[in-house]
Every structure is written in structure tokens, then in C-alpha cells.
Amino acid sequence: MGGIRGLNRRIALIGNPNSGKSSLFNQLTGLRQKTGNFPGVTVERRSGAMRLPDGQEWQVVDFPGTYSLYPTSLDERVVFDVLSNPNSADFPDLVIYVADALRLDQHLLLLSQIRDLGLPVILALNLIDAAADSGVRYQTRSLSQKLGLTCIEVNGRTGEGVGLLLQQIEHHANGKQVANIAVKSYSPSSVLRELVQDIRAAVPWVTHDFQALILAHHVTELTCLEPREVVAIQTLNAKHGFTSLRAQVEEIMERFQFIDRVVAESRNRDHPPGRNTLTSRIDRLVTHVLWGPILFVAFLLFIFQAVFSWATLPMEWIERIFSELGGAVKYALGEGWLSSLLADGILAGLGGVLVFIPQIVLLFLLVALLEESGYMARAVYLFDRILRKVGLNGRSIVALVSGTACAIPAVMSTRTITNAKERLITILVTPFISCSARLPVYAVLVGLMVPAGKVFGLISYQALTFMGLYVLGASAALGGAWVFNRLLKSAEPGYLLMELPDYQIPHWRNVIHTVWSKVASFVREAGKIIILISIVFWFLASTSFPGRMAEAESRARIEASASNLSETELEARIAAYQIETSFAGI
Amino acid sequence: MGLRPGQCVTLVRSTVKNAACYILGEFQQYGIRQDEAEVLWVEYVD
């Protein structure tokens, strides 16, 4: 298993959360998978095609980040499920293991486990620029020798080193590269070795000792095992007195001893490790018990002010363009049903969709900036206490904020929440958050019902009302969570422990791509519905029972001549009476 | 979870009761609940 299989050659991008796998995936495939600066951006596997310099095509699969083969959340399980089952459709022929160069000692645990599964691996040492900035450099040749595999320095953001990585993949594809050299990072105890041999005898498709050990750990969760194999492994576990947690601790301690030695012998440090002072200084304010939440509310207020006020001018331009286009169409084609359909049906519908693009762009842009900068992880940390009280988890804030854009990816993001009850409650309440599809409705209602004007000359009443609608949605979500927390019972403990990444300047290409893809999706999905409704409404508003429209026009003309109305007022009166008389007005 | 056995971490901020703690390892910050921290902490150094 695991060899190169004809046309279905597959590379798996695997690594710890926030190690830059999706950025490297984008570099390799030319696709634009969503990236972000917090753990858990990728919650399901994504695949794309990659062409090697010699023209061979490979499938590249970007997996969610995981710390080890002992998964704690649904997104981490994705990797485990595939790697533990050689018959899985996603089982890779080659693993590109992506590791953060600055935190290599933490990131090598999973690599050492994957190596013990017998998979060919290339180590992509990512984020080398950040490591160099912190005075950390590696002798990659020494690292390669000590780990028994090929190690390439890459930068997923800039594409540096990707050419070399492609060459190595090509060497591997053509069988030129010698298989990875076996390096022992873990030797099970004699009792475990006996258990492993017995499992290998009972389950013939197991090819490596560590694979057998993984079966012992996860026997009840694996779908790739037949019922008789499950019974056999459970019997063997009992016979050998196997305790999963104890075995995990022993294994991980031993692996880290090996990793510490390898890293220490291959790493050069310009200066001793220290805090990232910029991140630390920003966090002093952003995660402060009082200023942190105030800043969060200020960010939200800023977003709604921007969405409502800054978008006004481009929205007016779009409205004017479509109004003039409609006029031009009517002028060119003359009065008639076709010009009316084009101007009042199709163009009006299209304008009705495109007019909201400035607001949608601003909303997605600002949310993307929060995600790219690393702020979202701080929001998780900050709101964990409050959210726990209503049965949610700090990580729920990612779903709730993402829900302002679209509820579907927001619900998907809950896979990082380890506790099933917290995850379910988050899923149930996320739709209460006002998504971007409701934004046009709010914009129209607020524009009609709330007067212009500003509080202290800064924030408009309309922006405040706009924010109020979102606050209403958030309150409904929290209230709903409180109710669900009372109704659902669970003894399973929840966890927060999460990495808070260093702040980084948002990568504009990623931000622009995210905004572009979301806007395109809005235009595609909401657009076709709005245009269809616009055409249906045009039809209903321009037709009635025979003779009724002409009757409405003559009634308006009689009234106009009695009241001395101008030509424009007459046209408006005719239009109003005809709409009242039409099928739409009945 | 990104924290290693035997790793020395610094408690940077422990806010109000039952809130998360902000801890610092080598090149990495973490958010952790107080009850989680109590399970993880084995030995205090200074």
C-alpha cells in the first residue's frame, strides 16, 4: 500500500495547525484555498491538481492540522481516519509534512508518528523567514540525515523553495529517490511489542508495528476494521493489560526526547529564545480583561459604520449607472414589453444585486483582515469565559463572527470544538447571526426607517441601528445557547487550550481572494434569485385583467388635468395607478 | 495541543475567576482555561 498508483497519485499535505499547509497547497495547485492566521482554518480535506515539471499530474490533498495521531476534535480525526486506513480513497502515496521552522520541536511529533506508519515523507520546513527573523536557522542537510528523509526549506506565502520541492516530488515519482531511511524515534516496551505482534497476526493487512499499535489505541473508533477484527484486538488489549493513556504518555515522552536531540543538533540560534515583543505588546491591550472586550465592540462598530456609511457613495454610483442604462434601453428600443422587460425587469434586478456589492465587500474585507492578522484567536481567548456560561466554547466565536458572512462555513468551523455538546449548541445557534444575505434587507429597511444624522458627529444613527440588528441576532444566539445548555445534558468536559499565533500583516493576495470569492458567491447564489424575482415582479406589475391598465391610465390623466399636474407628476400618477391595478397590486 | 511534556511556560496573564489564562512557551503564546492549567501544571519553577 502507499506506492505510486498509476493515474491516481496522491500527495497529502499534513502538519500541525497553523503551519501554513493551505498556503503551500495554493502554491502547489494554483488554487485559492482559504487561509488565515489562527489554528483550525481548514476543517475538512480539500484537493486540487498539481502538475510536475515533467508534466505528470498528481492530486494534492490539504488536510486539517493535527498535533498527533491521537485526535481530540473532528477536524483532527480527518487525518487519523485516512492514515490509519490504507484502503481509504484518500490514502496518500507521498506525504509532504509541513512544519513551522520556528516551532520545529513541537511540530515533529506527528512527523515521527507518520514515519512509523511506513509512509514516504518529504519535510517542508515552512515559515523560514519568520524563524530567521527570530534568529533561528537550520542545517537542513543535518536535519535530513538525522530524520532519515528529505528536508526542503519553503515559504508557502512567497513560493520560495517550492520549485525545489517539486523537483523532489518528481524524483520520488520517478523512483529516483531512495525510500526514506528508517529512524527509530520510539521503541515500545516489551509488553507492547508482544501486543503488536499478536495484532499483526490477527489483522493480516497491517504492515507496520506502529500501525498495529494505533489499532490498539483506537479499536472502538475505527471504521476500517471488520467486527471480528475489533473483537480480536479488544481481546488482545485485555490479555496484555493495554492502557491507552499510559501508552500514549510513554510514547510521546520518548518521541520528544528523540526530537529534542535532533533539533538541538541541527539548529543554530543567533540569540536565546524570547517573546515576540510586538505580539506581546499588542496582546497587553487586546487580551486585557477590560480593554479587550471594549476593543472587540469597537471593531464591530467600526465594521458596521464602514458597511453602512462608506458604502453609500459607490452604491449611489451603481444605482445611477443602472438607472441610466435602463433609460438608454427604453430610448433605443422605444416603448414596448421588450424594453420594459429589459429595463424594468432584468436591468433593475441586476442593479438590485450589484448595488449591495460595496457593503458586502466591506463586510468580508474587514472580517478577512481580522482572520489574517491573528486577532480571531484572541477573540476566542477573550470570550471563552462568557460563552462557557451559556454552554458554548471560546472557539464558538469563530463560528459566530463567520456567521455574519455565511452560516454554512460558520457551521463547518465548529469541527474544531472538541466537546460534542458545545459543538452542537454552536451549530444550533449560529443561524441566529445575521448573515450577508440579510444585509440587503436590513440596508433597505434601515435606509427607509432611520433618519440620517450622527451621534457626536461620528457614528451615524443608521450604522447604530444596523449594529443593533446584529446585536439582536447575537443576543438571540446567546439566549438560544442558554436554553439549549439547560436542555442538553453531557458529562464530557470541554477544552480551550489553543495556540495564539503571532500577529502578522495580512497577506493582501489572500484577503483579496477571500473577498472576491465571497462576493462572486453572493452574486451567483443570491443574484439569480433576486433577478428571477425581479422578472416575476415586473411581469405581475405590468399586466392585469384585459383593459384594466388602460382604464387606470385614463383615470390618472383625468385627475391630472383637473389638478394641473406637470408631465413628470402625470407619469408618476399613471405608474402608481397601473401598479395598483396590476396583478402585483391586487 | 502544541504544549510539550516538560515544557517550561510563563503565566503572563490570569484574569478574572474562571477566565482563560494567557501563557507563554518558547516562541508561542497559548490560551488555556484555569481548570485545564491545574491539570497540566506539574511543577512550579519560581
Side-chain angles (χ1 to χ4, degrees):
Chain A
M1 296 286 173
I4 295 167
R5 288 171 293 197
L7 298 173
N8 298 316
R9 286 174 292 187
R10 202 170 293 107
I11 289 177
L13 286 178
I14 293 175
N16 282 199
N18 215 31
S19 57
K21 293 178 295 300
S22 297
S23 298
L24 190 58
F25 174 82
N26 291 342
Q27 290 286 350
L28 291 172
T29 60
L31 293 174
R32 288 287 163 258
Q33 158 85 313
K34 181 178 164 57
T35 59
N37 184 25
F38 59 96
V41 178
T42 308
V43 290
E44 56 179 348
R45 56 181 170 269
R46 304 260 177 189
S47 61
M50 179 191 74
R51 192 181 288 271
L52 293 177
D54 66 359
Q56 294 182 63
E57 278 213 355
W58 282 65
Q59 185 190 359
V60 185
V61 186
D62 180 21
F63 281 90
T66 182
Y67 293 102
S68 72
L69 289 179
Y70 303 115
T72 55
S73 59
L74 288 180
D75 58 328
E76 289 193 333
R77 270 205 75 88
V78 174
V79 178
F80 166 74
D81 284 342
V82 170
L83 295 187
S84 62
N85 178 12
N87 296 317
S88 162
D90 285 320
F91 194 77
D93 300 293
L94 174 66
V95 172
I96 305 290
Y97 189 85
V98 187
D100 178 349
L102 191 57
R103 301 168 182 93
L104 189 62
D105 41 4
Q106 291 168 33
H107 285 222
L108 288 184
L109 173 67
L110 176 62
L111 172 74
S112 71
Q113 290 183 320
I114 291 172
R115 289 294 318 278
D116 285 353
L117 288 176
L119 285 159
V121 183
I122 293 175
L123 171 60
L125 206 53
N126 197 17
L127 304 167
I128 44 172
D129 49 344
D133 289 347
S134 298
V136 174
R137 284 165 224 284
Y138 288 93
Q139 301 155 32
T140 44
R141 181 175 287 185
S142 157
L143 201 58
S144 295
Q145 284 171 352
K146 290 182 193 327
L147 291 171
L149 44 69
T150 307
C151 171
I152 310 282
E153 289 191 344
V154 296
N155 189 329
R157 286 182 135 206
T158 61
E160 190 185 337
V162 169
L164 202 56
L165 180 63
L166 287 173
Q167 275 179 21
Q168 288 301 322
I169 296 170
E170 197 174 79
H171 285 171
H172 176 85
N174 296 329
K176 288 178 187 163
Q177 190 193 33
V178 184
N180 290 183
I181 301 157
V183 172
K184 272 266 178 251
S185 58
Y186 168 56
S187 302
S189 65
S190 56
V191 176
L192 285 183
R193 278 203 299 275
E194 283 173 23
L195 170 66
V196 160
Q197 292 314 315
D198 286 352
I199 290 176
R200 288 190 66 168
V203 187
W205 54 264
V206 172
T207 53
H208 291 81
D209 286 357
F210 188 62
Q211 200 180 357
L213 196 55
I214 284 292
L215 297 188
H217 279 290
H218 301 291
V219 61
T220 53
E221 304 151 37
L222 288 165
T223 51
C224 59
L225 291 171
E226 289 178 21
R228 61 177 178 78
E229 291 172 335
V230 172
V231 172
I233 294 170
Q234 282 177 324
T235 309
L236 290 170
N237 280 354
K239 179 186 160 192
H240 291 280
F242 176 71
T243 315
S244 178
L245 189 61
R246 181 184 294 271
Q248 280 184 43
V249 172
E250 285 171 3
E251 178 200 328
I252 287 167
M253 296 295 273
E254 194 177 324
R255 286 188 191 278
F256 271 124
Q257 282 174 6
F258 166 79
I259 290 164
D260 280 344
R261 201 171 57 246
V262 168
V263 172
E265 288 169 5
S266 312
R267 181 170 61 187
N268 297 330
R269 266 192 174 140
D270 294 348
H271 50 77
R275 287 179 77 169
N276 181 325
T277 50
L278 179 65
T279 291
S280 153
R281 261 183 270 148
I282 297 171
D283 273 347
R284 218 173 286 161
L285 177 70
V286 167
T287 62
H288 190 271
V289 66
L290 176 66
W291 295 114
I294 291 174
L295 205 60
F296 183 77
V297 173
F299 278 144
L300 290 187
L301 197 56
F302 175 77
I303 290 175
F304 295 122
Q305 170 74 6
V307 166
F308 213 84
S309 298
W310 299 356
T312 311
L313 199 60
M315 286 173 84
E316 283 172 5
W317 293 339
I318 294 169
E319 271 179 349
R320 197 174 308 151
I321 288 168
F322 276 89
S323 165
E324 288 180 6
L325 265 177
V329 165
K330 279 186 173 171
Y331 180 76
L333 297 178
E335 287 296 323
W337 72 268
L338 182 62
S339 67
S340 176
L341 169 66
L342 288 174
D344 303 328
I346 296 173
L347 279 175
L350 198 58
V353 176
L354 299 184
V355 75
F356 294 110
I357 284 183
Q359 290 184 321
I360 304 267
V361 165
L362 277 170
L363 177 67
F364 288 135
L365 176 73
L366 294 170
V367 171
L369 287 177
L370 290 183
E371 289 179 347
E372 276 276 317
S373 65
Y375 179 78
M376 287 303 275
R378 272 67 187 185
V380 169
Y381 161 82
L382 211 55
F383 288 97
D384 182 63
R385 177 168 164 261
I386 297 167
L387 294 176
R388 271 175 89 181
K389 287 186 176 169
V390 293
L392 297 171
N393 185 292
R395 286 183 170 83
S396 307
I397 199 88
V398 175
L400 298 179
V401 173
S402 305
T404 58
C406 180
I408 295 167
V411 165
M412 292 298 292
S413 73
T414 60
R415 302 182 80 170
T416 60
I417 300 171
T418 54
N419 181 289
K421 181 183 164 186
E422 290 173 346
R423 189 169 59 247
L424 178 62
I425 295 177
T426 310
I427 291 169
L428 289 171
V429 302
T430 297
F432 283 121
I433 300 294
S434 299
C435 70
S436 59
R438 295 181 214 174
L439 194 145
V441 181
Y442 290 172
V444 170
L445 289 178
V446 171
L448 281 174
M449 299 170 72
V450 181
K454 288 184 174 175
V455 183
F456 307 123
L458 275 176
I459 303 159
S460 73
Y461 292 125
Q462 291 178 332
L464 272 178
T465 313
F466 206 59
M467 184 172 171
L469 288 166
Y470 276 83
V471 169
L472 188 67
S475 306
L478 294 180
W482 183 82
V483 172
F484 286 126
N485 190 32
R486 300 266 154 173
L487 294 175
L488 301 169
K489 300 291 171 205
S490 167
E492 185 191 357
Y495 299 99
L496 171 70
L497 179 55
M498 69 175 300
E499 293 178 7
L500 304 172
D502 288 343
Y503 290 103
Q504 66 180 22
I505 295 169
H507 202 238
W508 284 105
R509 210 168 68 160
N510 292 341
V511 172
I512 289 167
H513 169 72
T514 302
V515 173
W516 172 256
S517 62
K518 303 252 177 173
V519 169
S521 166
F522 170 78
V523 171
R524 233 181 3 253
E525 302 303 324
K528 58 190 175 196
I529 294 168
I530 294 175
I531 290 176
L532 189 68
I533 289 172
S534 175
I535 293 170
V536 170
F537 188 76
W538 165 83
F539 177 76
L540 294 173
S542 57
T543 51
S544 183
F545 295 108
R548 296 284 297 276
M549 296 301 256
E551 190 185 302
E553 186 179 341
S554 63
R555 186 156 53 95
R557 286 189 185 282
I558 293 163
E559 283 182 19
S561 62
S563 323
N564 274 336
L565 293 183
S566 67
E567 193 62 28
T568 317
E569 288 169 325
L570 169 65
E571 278 178 19
R573 180 72 60 94
I574 293 171
Y577 281 11
Q578 285 189 330
I579 282 184
E580 274 177 19
T581 315
S582 70
F583 290 127
I586 292 171
Chain B
M1 281 289 190
L3 272 174
R4 304 180 30 191
Q7 188 175 349
C8 192
V9 294
T10 310
L11 179 63
V12 177
R13 177 173 296 130
S14 169
T15 54
V16 288
K17 192 171 179 287
N18 292 326
C21 305
Y22 185 112
I23 60 172
L24 181 72
E26 191 182 286
F27 297 122
Q28 183 66 63
Q29 306 76 224
Y30 303 89
I32 184 170
R33 287 177 183 169
Q34 287 180 17
D35 46 2
E36 286 175 287
E38 281 163 16
V39 176
L40 287 174
W41 264 222
V42 177
E43 186 183 0
Y44 289 91
V45 183
D46 291 330

